[in-house]
Amino acid sequence: MTRSRKGSLLLALAFALGSPSDGLAQEDERVGEPDFPAEARILVDGAFQRCEGIAFNGEGDLYVAGNAALWKVEPTGDVTKIADMYSNLGLAPIGERDILMADFGPTNRFNLGPNSDGIVWRVTPEGDTTRVVDGGIGDPNFVMVLADGSFLVTDDATDEILWVGEEGQPRLFTDAVGHPNGIALSSDGSTLYVAQIFESLRPMVTSGKVWTVPIEDGDVAGLPELLVDLGDDAANDGLALDEHGRVYVAANGFGQIWRVDPVSAETVLIAEDMPGAASIAFGQGAFDHEAIYVTSTRTGRVWEVGVGAKGAALHH
């Protein structure tokens, strides 16, 4: 793993090789990019014991899952409770205003063994809740909405990524990656990125792997390939993509955010000293559009980290 090089070094190398125009092009790509690792500014502190899911809705408002509830977060860091839940897992925007929220439900495999009482809620900004998935899944974690309004949801206690359509009945999408947590889809729809959080549950061994799964016509089209391995203790959690197609990985166990370029394989430490870094969302609305917002399962904090790039477009 390497940290990002300075643009001046790239330019000097290009001239040394006799290709100054190429060096200038690489320099231009880094204009406005902060020095990494960048400072993680605390936006919310003291409101939650732990929080995990984070998403901006279609109106650009920020929502966080914390203390077994859904909350709205203001740019000032003030929070307002929207609805109570059983747990506080992944969030995703859906429609013009609403949020999908993953919830383990009354039981979970980690404490009580196999179950099928997981829930995915649809929540309005006013706090109205609908169970769009009520059973048929054990412990839903990360949620990602697709272009047609269906969505994928991971169960990191198993090997399952499930697809859910209008009828609300989960069906298996793929079980090719063990213990999947965060997922993200490339802008052309050809690659699903999957963060693996565990190697096994009993004994519990965490993972640092991120995989690519080929997609064709909306379905899995081949075997997964390893994109990066940050080390077993990374306990990879949430993923997000920027406008350049680069993958941001929350290494929960390390308290770090890493960025991986799928084309060049460059791996950059974006931020550190963030215990329990969990889920990632790029700023929208009144928030900084060239920053990521990160939750913490250990401290309950929400951080803001400037990254010098906007997020990839999300489907609602």
Side-chain angles (χ1 to χ4, degrees):
M1 296 179 291
T2 59
R3 296 190 182 187
S4 178
R5 298 183 179 184
K6 302 295 185 184
S8 58
L9 292 177
L10 288 169
L11 188 59
L13 177 61
F15 272 99
L17 295 174
S19 304
S21 59
D22 291 343
L24 286 169
Q26 293 182 48
E27 173 82 359
D28 290 342
E29 289 176 3
R30 298 182 183 276
V31 171
E33 185 170 279
D35 289 332
F36 294 125
E39 179 184 1
R41 182 181 76 86
I42 298 172
L43 176 65
V44 178
D45 192 14
F48 316 116
Q49 282 72 51
R50 55 178 287 126
C51 58
E52 185 157 355
I54 188 167
F56 289 85
N57 73 352
E59 296 179 325
D61 293 327
L62 178 57
Y63 292 86
V64 166
N67 290 6
L70 179 66
W71 304 75
K72 182 179 179 182
V73 179
E74 304 295 338
T76 58
D78 296 323
V79 301
T80 303
K81 184 187 287 188
I82 303 299
D84 287 303
M85 305 295 177
Y86 290 103
S87 58
N88 40 255
L89 280 302
L91 304 182
I94 189 165
E96 295 182 359
R97 310 176 67 234
D98 298 351
I99 292 289
L100 290 179
M101 181 171 177
D103 188 342
F104 281 170
T107 65
N108 67 78
R109 181 182 289 257
F110 299 93
N111 295 329
L112 299 171
N115 67 91
S116 60
D117 60 7
I119 304 165
V120 178
W121 303 88
R122 182 166 178 159
V123 189
T124 70
E126 293 74 33
D128 298 324
T129 60
T130 303
R131 295 181 183 222
V132 295
V133 174
D134 190 3
I137 184 173
D139 300 299
N141 192 316
F142 197 92
V143 186
M144 185 186 73
V145 177
L146 301 170
D148 62 359
S150 64
F151 58 90
L152 299 180
V153 55
T154 64
D155 182 342
D156 68 334
T158 69
D159 298 339
E160 296 179 342
I161 300 176
L162 298 141
W163 176 89
V164 182
E166 289 184 3
E167 76 286 351
Q169 297 297 317
R171 70 165 175 81
L172 182 65
F173 184 74
T174 181
D175 58 1
V177 175
H179 302 288
N181 197 316
I183 52 177
L185 188 65
S186 63
S187 59
D188 64 2
S190 68
T191 304
L192 181 70
Y193 299 99
V194 183
Q196 181 177 352
I197 189 168
F198 304 118
E199 295 289 343
S200 68
L201 281 188
R202 291 179 177 81
M204 183 174 283
V205 178
T206 57
S207 174
K209 296 182 176 72
V210 179
W211 299 87
T212 62
V213 178
I215 304 295
E216 187 173 330
D217 298 326
D219 288 319
V220 174
L223 296 175
E225 294 185 3
L226 185 64
L227 174 65
V228 69
D229 189 346
L230 298 175
D232 285 350
D233 292 337
N236 290 339
D237 206 323
L239 295 183
L241 296 181
D242 70 15
E243 59 187 336
H244 306 296
R246 299 173 298 193
V247 184
Y248 293 70
V249 186
N252 191 308
F254 291 154
Q256 297 171 337
I257 303 295
W258 288 87
R259 188 184 73 195
V260 186
D261 189 325
V263 177
S264 69
E266 181 188 43
T267 305
V268 180
L269 177 60
I270 295 295
E272 54 190 346
D273 299 324
M274 304 166 70
S279 295
I280 306 168
F282 276 85
Q284 301 291 326
F287 293 79
D288 187 346
H289 291 206
E290 293 193 350
I292 54 172
Y293 294 82
V294 182
T295 56
S296 168
T297 55
R298 297 188 190 179
T299 68
R301 288 175 173 172
V302 180
W303 291 281
E304 176 189 80
V305 182
V307 296
K310 297 178 181 179
L314 299 178
H315 296 300
H316 292 179

